[in-house]
Amino acid sequence: VNPMPAHAVGTVSVSLKRIYDNKTSNNVDYTYDNLLGPDITSITPSTVAPNTSNTFSLTGTNFLNYGPINLTSISTGNYHTCGVNSNGDGYCWGEGTYGKLGNGSTTNISTPVLVSQGARPAGVTFSSISAGENHTCGVGSNGRGYCWGYNPYGQLGNGNTGTDSSIPVLVSKGDRPTGVTFTKVNAGRYHTCGIGSNGQGYCWGYNASGQVGNGSTNPAYAPALVSQGARPSGGTFTDISAGGYYSCGVGNNGQAYCWGANGNYQLGTGNTTGSSTPVLVIQGARPSNVTYTSVDTGHQHTCGLGSDGNGYCWGNNTDGHLGDGTTTNRSTPVLVKLFDQYEYQITIGNNTLAQ
């Protein structure tokens, strides 16, 4: 048998040929769903008797392997998950609606599938991937941003809206100066944010609550520069996160800043006033010398990691997701507590002692 080359997504026809009359029969089509096609080097037996049932043994490479994928990073979205392996390959799995798995399909898949090359040049891998609600974005090894999936509000950042994509598309230059690449992208609900190699924040997509952070509530179909807001002059971002209808970031001064919707105190300002530019997160329960090293946004609550190694959260807390032992919404950061002790109130006579 002649070696069969690897195949791209699609259908390949495999046929059996009778040796004595060189007649081909029994054509069978096999469909490959964004997996490397097998490179078949031999089929045993190579000849069979007519009208008989036979089992064939195939040797070669690129056969489906259900072994573990060695991921270096992983991100969870809305009913789907994505990760990057040590070779820079992107994999996604779960709900495939709107093409958010990036494999050229909208089919749900329960095992990791390879993200298509899409708009990435040959040889460009992924350095990171972020799974949002119904879209996914990543940073290529060339520093470019790539997104795929749902795009009614321009959250893919490719300059248009209303056209979903099941394979990676290139994020437009937008407000980024020439030569500025991405060091991070983070996909939210209907918008996306990233940090440029110049340390500035850029967001795009749905913006009705000011979550893009450019002082406007108009949608942004390409990266828009996040305004200075409450940040000191010349300040940059070291981390950024796109949430439900708001965004947050950490400045190079170690302070946290948020912008967008604030109906559940998710901006951490002590009130419910929203903002279309970055506002400072109040100190709250943090000691005066503690700064932030990272921040992460949810749908209506936010958490940050302090330089003291403790977690601090604020916003909606109806299910106890702030980790402070209550279900009370918090307008400023509270300490995430590990309750390994019970609190007792001891009354002796007319005196009360608390322990």
Side-chain angles (χ1 to χ4, degrees):
V1 63
N2 294 323
M4 182 185 299
H7 296 278
V9 181
T11 302
V12 59
S13 179
V14 177
S15 62
L16 299 178
K17 181 182 292 185
R18 291 194 307 207
I19 301 298
Y20 73 93
D21 61 2
N22 207 34
K23 184 176 181 180
T24 301
S25 62
N26 297 331
N27 289 298
V28 180
D29 289 337
Y30 293 90
T31 300
Y32 295 94
D33 293 325
N34 203 32
L35 296 171
L36 287 173
D39 187 355
I40 302 174
T41 57
S42 68
I43 301 177
T44 305
S46 59
T47 59
V48 294
N51 302 317
T52 59
S53 178
N54 293 270
T55 299
F56 292 89
S57 175
L58 282 69
T59 61
T61 59
N62 294 336
F63 291 104
L64 187 60
N65 180 6
Y66 284 101
I69 297 176
N70 295 317
L71 299 177
T72 57
S73 66
I74 196 166
S75 175
T76 57
N78 188 42
Y79 302 115
H80 77 297
T81 308
C82 295
V84 179
N85 71 3
S86 56
N87 294 324
D89 298 316
Y91 291 90
C92 293
W93 58 97
E95 184 183 71
T97 309
Y98 308 113
K100 59 187 174 183
L101 301 185
N103 66 326
S105 169
T106 57
T107 303
N108 298 351
I109 299 178
S110 61
T111 57
V113 291
L114 185 68
V115 175
S116 299
Q117 194 71 21
R120 291 178 295 151
V124 172
T125 58
F126 284 110
S127 58
S128 65
I129 284 184
S130 174
E133 178 155 311
N134 283 307
H135 75 292
T136 310
C137 293
V139 177
S141 56
N142 58 354
R144 299 291 185 92
Y146 300 92
C147 294
W148 54 95
Y150 198 41
N151 194 37
Y153 306 109
Q155 57 263 56
L156 300 191
N158 62 335
N160 64 53
T161 182
T163 304
D164 302 339
S165 180
S166 61
I167 60 174
V169 296
L170 178 66
V171 175
S172 300
K173 178 174 174 287
D175 288 342
R176 288 178 297 147
T178 300
V180 172
T181 57
F182 283 110
T183 60
K184 177 178 182 176
V185 293
N186 188 260
R189 188 173 192 186
Y190 299 134
H191 75 292
T192 310
C193 291
I195 298 178
S197 55
N198 58 354
Q200 295 301 313
Y202 300 91
C203 295
W204 56 94
Y206 192 66
N207 193 31
S209 299
Q211 57 264 52
V212 169
N214 63 339
S216 167
T217 55
N218 296 322
Y221 304 136
L225 178 68
V226 175
S227 300
Q228 196 72 25
R231 295 179 296 145
S233 177
T236 58
F237 284 106
T238 60
D239 194 23
I240 203 165
S241 179
Y245 296 99
Y246 74 108
S247 310
C248 292
V250 176
N252 61 336
N253 59 353
Q255 296 298 315
Y257 300 91
C258 295
W259 55 96
N262 195 29
N264 288 272
Y265 306 116
Q266 57 264 49
L267 301 191
T269 57
N271 58 52
T272 56
T273 302
S275 178
S276 61
T277 61
V279 292
L280 179 67
V281 175
I282 290 177
Q283 192 75 19
R286 286 181 301 145
S288 59
N289 62 338
V290 172
T291 57
Y292 286 106
T293 58
S294 65
V295 68
D296 197 37
T297 55
H299 183 59
Q300 295 177 336
H301 79 292
T302 312
C303 291
L305 181 63
S307 56
D308 58 354
N310 287 317
Y312 299 91
C313 297
W314 56 95
N316 186 286
N317 195 29
T318 53
D319 295 308
H321 32 287
L322 300 189
D324 66 341
T326 77
T327 55
T328 303
N329 294 351
R330 302 293 186 178
S331 63
T332 61
V334 294
L335 178 67
V336 177
K337 299 178 181 178
L338 178 62
F339 288 90
D340 57 355
Q341 296 183 17
Y342 290 98
E343 293 185 353
Y344 298 94
Q345 180 172 296
I346 304 172
T347 302
I348 303 175
N350 294 323
N351 298 312
T352 299
L353 304 176
Q355 179 179 347

